């Protein structure tokens, strides 16, 4: 659950009706950032970062001035950051603080999320598809199934899926992207029945997902390619619609089989939104029979 959806803590003092006034979301996030920084600082012994242990310490871990020294930032500035004050924080300084506090990948991502900043060295989404997932893809046949990441890259698929998107093996990897295929000439664009509605939804979900990846070169490169290649994508992008991933209905008009109607279901493959296994299940007996005929042929 994101901080913006958590019931806000109360500020000091009561409102006019006697109830506590809620803390604004940015302020609550700064308080959480301050507590997180203190907890990470207090767990590090001086010798872990090459500092001498001198005298008796009243508090565990590093002192604020030591973190500031290690991160090469001002002591006053770091103190204000750890006090939850409303100050401007650059990605470069957060990067230095993360290194000084020996944050692991998850902690680093949490730091940048709390600071509402883009990580210049983000943890890249792993594109590995395990043998177990590949076996699942095969077992779903003759129902089309594929593994797609949040950027709409197709990472793996079963044979039935090629009836929808065509021969992916014949495409360069950068072309094996559903939003790219939806906005440029492709079999996927040709067979997608409700193409205008589907494209609007894809752009909205792509924009929503990009909020977590705006600093990553692969995302920026795909966006630039789409904006240059398709005026329709550019127009949809400028509408600034956002939408979260979900399940739904898709229809395809396949030359070899006719109209196919599916419910599609996305199954996340990890603890965070990233790659998902998408399975297309027939909505009617006619679609089921046509898919079985395609598989037999």
């Amino acid at each position: 659950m994101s901080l913006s959806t958590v019931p806000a803590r109360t500020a000091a003092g009561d409102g006019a009706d006697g109830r506590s006034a809620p803390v604004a979301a940015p302020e609550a996030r700064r308080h959480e950032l301050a507590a997180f920084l203190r907890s990470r600082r207090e767990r590090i012994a001086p010798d872990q970062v090459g500092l001498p242990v001198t005298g008796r310490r009243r508090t565990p871990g590093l002192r604020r001035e030591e973190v500031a020294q290690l991160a090469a930032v001002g002591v006053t500035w770091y103190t204000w950051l750890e006090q939850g004050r409303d100050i401007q924080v650059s990605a470069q300084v957060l990067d230095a603080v993360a290194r000084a506090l020996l944050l692991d990948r998850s902690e680093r991502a949490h730091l940048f999320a709390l600071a509402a900043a883009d990580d210049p060295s983000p943890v890249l989404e792993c594109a590995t598809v395990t043998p177990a997932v590949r076996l699942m893809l095969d077992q779903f046949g003759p129902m089309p199934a594929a593994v797609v990441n949040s950027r709409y890259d197709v990472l793996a698929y079963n044979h039935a899926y090629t009836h929808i998107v065509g021969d992916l093996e014949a495409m360069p990897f950068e072309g094996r992207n559903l939003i790219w295929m939806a906005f440029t000439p492709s079999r996927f664009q040709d067979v997608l029945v409700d193409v205008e509605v589907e494209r609007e939804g894809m752009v909205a979900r792509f924009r929503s997902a990009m909020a977590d990846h705006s600093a990553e070169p692969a995302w920026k490169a795909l966006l630039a390619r789409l904006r240059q290649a398709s005026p329709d994508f550019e127009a949809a992008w400028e509408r600034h619609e956002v939408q979260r991933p979900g399940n739904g209905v898709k229809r395809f008009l396949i030359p070899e089989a006719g109209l196919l109607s599916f419910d599609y279901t996305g199954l996340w493959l990890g603890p965070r939104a990233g790659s998902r296994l998408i399975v297309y299940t027939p909505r009617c007996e006619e679609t089921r029979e046509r898919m079985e005929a395609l598989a037999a042929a």
Side-chain angles (χ1 to χ4, degrees):
M1 182 179 290
S2 64
L3 287 174
S4 60
T5 61
V6 176
R9 293 180 293 179
T10 56
D14 294 333
D17 59 358
R19 292 177 295 180
S20 296
V23 175
E27 184 178 350
R29 190 168 57 207
R30 289 197 303 272
H31 290 333
E32 181 63 25
L33 173 60
F36 178 66
L37 288 172
R38 285 195 300 272
S39 71
R40 301 304 90 177
R41 172 173 60 82
E42 291 172 356
R43 72 175 182 174
I44 301 175
D47 57 0
Q48 287 182 265
V49 291
L51 295 176
V53 180
T54 57
R56 183 177 180 181
R57 290 176 175 254
R58 293 178 296 176
T59 58
L62 298 177
R63 300 186 178 100
R64 285 174 177 168
E65 56 267 26
E66 291 171 333
V67 175
Q69 175 188 340
L70 291 167
V73 299
V75 176
T76 300
W77 183 91
Y78 179 78
T79 300
W80 287 350
L81 181 65
E82 202 175 283
Q83 289 174 342
R85 297 201 187 188
D86 187 8
I87 59 176
Q88 294 295 321
V89 187
S90 71
Q92 290 72 24
V93 170
L94 286 172
D95 177 66
V97 170
R99 296 176 187 276
L101 293 175
L102 307 179
L103 301 187
D104 64 22
R105 296 192 304 173
S106 297
E107 292 168 334
R108 178 188 175 92
H110 188 59
L111 171 67
F112 277 84
L114 290 176
D118 290 329
D119 189 347
S121 303
V123 178
L124 299 180
E125 183 178 310
C126 181
T128 300
V129 178
T130 65
V133 172
R134 292 186 182 277
L135 179 60
M136 290 173 62
L137 286 171
D138 292 338
Q139 293 297 314
F140 277 120
M143 294 184 294
V147 175
V148 180
N149 64 15
S150 56
R151 198 172 56 236
Y152 280 104
D153 295 323
V154 181
L155 306 180
Y157 53 92
N158 62 11
H159 180 70
Y161 192 71
T162 63
H163 297 307
I164 295 173
V165 297
D167 184 8
L168 290 173
E169 290 296 326
M171 303 179 191
F173 181 79
E174 60 271 17
R176 303 177 195 177
N177 178 281
L178 292 178
I179 196 168
W180 175 260
M181 288 188 275
F183 281 94
T184 60
S186 68
R187 177 184 172 93
F188 182 66
Q189 184 190 78
D190 292 340
V191 304
L192 190 57
V193 174
D194 307 299
V195 62
E196 296 301 327
V197 174
E198 296 293 345
R199 294 201 301 191
E200 289 287 332
M202 293 176 80
V203 173
R205 290 187 288 273
F206 179 68
R207 177 180 283 280
S208 180
M210 192 168 183
D212 294 326
H213 303 274
S214 58
E216 296 180 28
W219 285 76
K220 293 190 289 187
L222 175 59
L223 177 59
R225 288 175 59 219
L226 285 164
R227 299 183 75 166
Q228 182 176 15
S230 172
D232 289 337
F233 176 87
E234 175 69 15
W237 184 257
E238 288 302 318
R239 284 190 280 274
H240 292 268
E241 300 292 339
V242 292
Q243 189 179 114
R244 303 301 297 175
N247 304 325
V249 176
K250 273 192 173 62
R251 300 188 300 160
F252 302 97
L253 187 59
I254 307 296
E256 303 87 351
L259 181 64
L260 303 177
S261 180
F262 295 101
D263 289 305
Y264 66 89
T265 305
L267 309 172
W268 298 113
L269 297 181
R272 59 188 294 269
S275 297
R276 61 194 186 276
L277 172 61
I278 300 177
V279 183
Y280 293 82
T281 54
R283 288 180 55 82
C284 60
E285 189 60 31
E286 189 174 34
T287 294
R288 183 182 301 276
E289 291 174 355
R290 289 174 176 176
M291 287 303 304
E292 290 175 349
L294 282 172

